[in-house]
Amino acid sequence: MTLINSDINTAKTILEANDLVAIPTETVYGLAANASNEEAVKKIFILKKRPEYNPLIVHIGAITDLEKVAFNIPTVAYKLAKAFWPGPLTLLLEKKDIIPDIVTAGSKKVAVRMPNHPLTLELLRQLSFPLAAPSANPFMSISPTKPEHVKSYFDGYLKFILDGGSCINGIESTIIGFKNDKAILYREGSCAVSEIEKITGKLHFVPSVSAQPQAPGMLKKHYAPKTPLVVTSNHRNLLLQNSGKKVGVLTFAKIKENTENEIYKSLTQNESLTEAAASLYATLIELDALGLELIIAEYVPNKGIGKAINDRLRRASFL
Ligand code: TXA
Ligand code: MG
């Protein structure tokens, strides 16, 4: 049985024994281990069934901890950290030796962020090491935004879930790297690009939809439900083409009445992209549990955090 409560001391004891704990963040739940201990980090890859070529983000509890894990930090990186931390922004920086190669999949760059969740920040401040943590889901499945999602994935195989309630942002962090002090966007995420560009100027985008595992920002298909999912700008045509099938329809607009074969779920009650991001994964997990033949997801408005939502919908689709 996996224990779930909000006791930081339990989390601390388990992590200090180099075992795993699921931790809440403002984006998604993370599956955390002592980032400076290779054996502890190995357990993350095994439990997630994650290939070792896919590196992990290191979580710190204060901006001043940045220099413990990275060096040669560009001025613009500091500016970003000051502007957005604690928060959903990950910075790719040159790695110090305290971080073992397994964390970065052999790369000389380490991904670092300071998450914005009171329980996890307090935990990080009490620990004498940073935490390596990918999202707390099996490889290729939907990221968890509630403790019960983590439990359904790993019940019995994980000692403890630190219960910090539902994740407020609901989509993973934005990943930024640097080349000659210029900022590069590797993964869209909860930190809006338009806000980052106020500090960095126009970002160079390296498309993360790459099949090449070494590419930062990872794999093309990801975050996917088991039910086939298609993404479209208008669900009606696809509904007609699939009439007779049991389908789920995921929309940004207000929902229609369900029929025998059509289950509608809206990501937001008031056309809010923030609310849509927060409910995206939980809604996909709900739809995935209904035994449907197909999920038809409609793109949300492609602005602000909507870009990250659309990126995740594309990666969840089987096309
Ligand atoms: O919001 C988030 O970022 C969440 C929470 C738990 O912090 N974490 C998260 O981790 O989304 P994960 O492992 O699901 O996705 C992080 C991605 C990896 O897939 C990897 O491709 C990229 O970040 N990454 C991590 N370290 C990297 C590195 N050293 N170089 C290039 N890419 C890296
Ligand atoms: Mg993930």
Side-chain angles (χ1 to χ4, degrees):
M1 273 288 287
T2 300
L3 185 66
I4 309 183
N5 65 50
S6 50
D7 180 31
I8 291 176
N9 281 327
T10 308
K12 185 167 180 264
T13 306
I14 296 171
L15 290 163
E16 283 172 345
N18 291 327
D19 214 335
L20 306 182
V21 168
I23 54 165
T25 82
E26 78 282 34
T27 60
V28 301
Y29 272 74
L31 188 62
N34 177 351
S36 61
N37 184 281
E38 191 176 331
E39 291 310 311
V41 173
K42 232 176 226 166
K43 292 178 185 169
I44 296 177
F45 286 94
I46 292 168
L47 185 57
K48 269 187 71 103
K49 297 195 168 70
R50 177 171 173 126
E52 291 203 1
Y53 58 66
N54 200 359
L56 309 179
I57 295 175
V58 169
H59 297 71
I60 56 176
I63 295 186
T64 45
D65 287 347
L66 198 46
E67 278 152 44
K68 295 183 188 158
V69 297
F71 68 105
N72 272 348
I73 300 163
T75 315
V76 62
Y78 269 116
K79 281 191 190 156
L80 289 170
K82 283 199 182 111
F84 297 109
W85 285 0
L89 176 70
T90 294
L91 303 175
L92 264 177
L93 300 165
E94 286 184 56
K95 171 182 100 62
K96 277 196 174 162
D97 287 344
I98 183 187
I99 301 298
D101 282 345
I102 186 171
V103 172
T104 63
S107 166
K108 290 191 163 55
K109 296 270 173 84
V110 60
V112 191
R113 84 176 189 101
M114 179 178 171
N116 189 15
H117 190 289
L119 280 185
T120 294
L121 277 177
E122 181 55 34
L123 172 65
L124 283 164
R125 284 168 189 153
Q126 288 188 22
L127 291 168
S128 60
F129 47 80
L131 292 173
S135 51
N137 51 285
F139 183 56
M140 300 292 257
S141 59
I142 303 169
S143 299
T145 55
K146 295 172 188 286
E148 52 269 34
H149 296 157
V150 183
K151 187 174 162 76
S152 74
Y153 285 142
F154 298 125
D155 200 15
Y157 296 93
L158 174 66
K159 288 203 176 105
F160 187 54
I161 300 168
L162 183 62
D163 185 350
S166 294
C167 301
I168 288 174
N169 292 51
I171 287 191
E172 294 83 350
S173 59
T174 306
I175 303 181
I176 299 285
F178 305 92
K179 204 170 186 184
N180 305 326
D181 279 9
K182 288 231 156 44
I184 300 163
L185 174 66
Y186 286 105
R187 176 175 77 175
E188 302 257 14
S190 278
C191 194
V193 165
S194 52
E195 292 303 306
I196 295 170
E197 286 183 335
K198 286 181 186 163
I199 292 174
T200 59
K202 186 95 187 125
L203 285 169
H204 176 64
F205 182 53
V206 173
S208 55
V209 282
S210 162
Q212 282 179 351
Q214 296 90 332
M218 68 267 88
L219 308 157
K220 189 169 176 179
K221 191 172 152 75
H222 203 161
Y223 317 103
K226 294 198 179 66
T227 315
L229 181 148
V230 281
V231 58
T232 170
S233 46
N234 183 340
H235 70 265
R236 285 185 194 86
N237 292 341
L238 278 172
L239 261 183
L240 283 174
Q241 285 166 26
N242 290 282
S243 65
K245 281 191 190 159
K246 218 172 157 46
V247 296
V249 183
L250 186 67
T251 67
F252 183 72
K254 280 221 166 63
I255 48 174
K256 293 199 237 163
E257 292 280 309
N258 291 339
T259 67
E260 201 189 321
N261 274 332
E262 296 162 10
I263 309 291
Y264 289 86
K265 298 259 182 209
S266 177
L267 290 172
T268 166
Q269 297 313 303
N270 50 15
E271 307 219 330
S272 150
L273 285 169
T274 309
E275 190 179 80
S279 63
L280 177 66
Y281 291 146
T283 312
L284 279 174
I285 289 171
E286 264 178 55
L287 281 172
D288 207 19
L290 297 179
L292 301 165
E293 288 170 79
L294 181 69
I295 297 171
I296 300 172
E298 215 164 58
Y299 283 116
V300 305
N302 201 43
K303 56 182 185 204
I305 184 69
K307 290 188 178 173
I309 299 175
N310 288 335
D311 168 79
R312 300 308 190 267
L313 287 174
R314 273 191 295 275
R315 291 191 211 216
S317 79
F318 68 96
L319 294 177

